[in-house]
Amino acid sequence: MAAFWEALIPTAVGAGTTILGVYMGAVVGRRNQDRQWIRDKQTVAYETFLQEFTAVEIELRQAYLDDRAHNPRWEQFNAALVSVSLLADNRVGSAAARIAELIEQFTLILDGRPKTLDELKEIHSGLVQAQLDFVNAARRSLDPSHGDFGWQLGGPPPWSGIEHFHGRTGEADRTT
């Protein structure tokens, strides 16, 4: 009888260990799948927000420079902002909120008041910094090993191009 228990105990321990290993593997695998799913959703939300921000910024800037009414894609911009709010950590959410705040300020300078290039430059530099802050916060939230960019890729163009275009438009208006 002792031989029976001597054979049964190691077999039972081995089977129990195998079952525990399979269970723990499933738990860890599921957790990793969940994390990957969230990271994928965040990536899409952040990309979409940046695309919609860029579309709105271009439309507002062009309306400003053309001295015309603006017609941005508010529905898409706000939908992208809501998606970010569902998935973002505090840093990313704060950076997105700053962009939305500056976009709101931009719309206010388009509401029939006399426009100045200095006013546009102030909003523009704020948007450039806010976009860079958002990109860096989003990169860190997706992978903490990502370092910050010290430069801007995409988003509002360099101020020199806007200033050049605005000056060219002003010269054309003076000659007619």
Side-chain angles (χ1 to χ4, degrees):
M1 185 78 161
F4 172 75
W5 287 110
E6 286 177 13
L8 182 63
I9 290 173
T11 304
V13 169
T17 305
T18 301
I19 291 170
L20 182 62
V22 168
Y23 175 76
M24 293 305 294
V27 168
V28 169
R30 173 65 187 209
R31 186 176 53 198
N32 287 340
Q33 281 181 326
D34 288 348
R35 285 182 182 164
Q36 183 61 46
W37 182 84
I38 294 224
R39 195 171 23 255
D40 291 346
K41 292 292 183 185
Q42 286 173 320
T43 301
V44 170
Y46 299 165
E47 286 174 352
T48 302
F49 177 72
L50 285 170
Q51 290 166 354
E52 294 305 327
F53 157 64
T54 300
V56 167
E57 186 276 329
I58 288 170
E59 170 56 21
L60 293 176
R61 179 172 27 91
Q62 206 55 50
Y64 184 95
L65 293 173
D66 293 346
D67 199 22
R68 63 168 171 80
H70 58 84
N71 187 25
R73 303 173 347 181
W74 291 123
E75 295 85 5
Q76 292 95 328
F77 177 75
N78 285 317
L81 187 57
V82 168
S83 291
V84 167
S85 74
L86 290 171
L87 297 164
D89 62 21
N90 286 338
R91 263 190 169 150
V92 176
S94 177
R98 179 67 181 143
I99 287 173
E101 176 186 314
L102 287 165
I103 288 292
E104 176 65 23
Q105 288 177 16
F106 201 169
T107 62
L108 293 175
I109 69 170
L110 287 165
D111 286 340
R113 295 184 297 135
K115 299 168 180 73
T116 68
L117 197 55
D118 289 337
E119 193 172 41
L120 178 61
K121 185 175 186 176
E122 183 178 331
I123 289 288
H124 179 271
S125 64
L127 287 171
V128 167
Q129 186 59 52
Q131 189 253 356
L132 181 60
D133 292 345
F134 179 85
V135 167
N136 284 330
R139 286 169 50 86
R140 281 191 305 273
S141 85
L142 295 171
D143 184 350
S145 70
H146 282 308
D148 286 352
F149 278 151
W151 63 92
Q152 180 194 14
L153 294 172
W159 177 249
S160 59
I162 294 171
E163 194 171 36
H164 173 74
F165 177 81
H166 192 317
R168 194 177 67 220
T169 302
E171 291 170 11
D173 291 343
R174 278 184 246 130
T175 60
T176 49

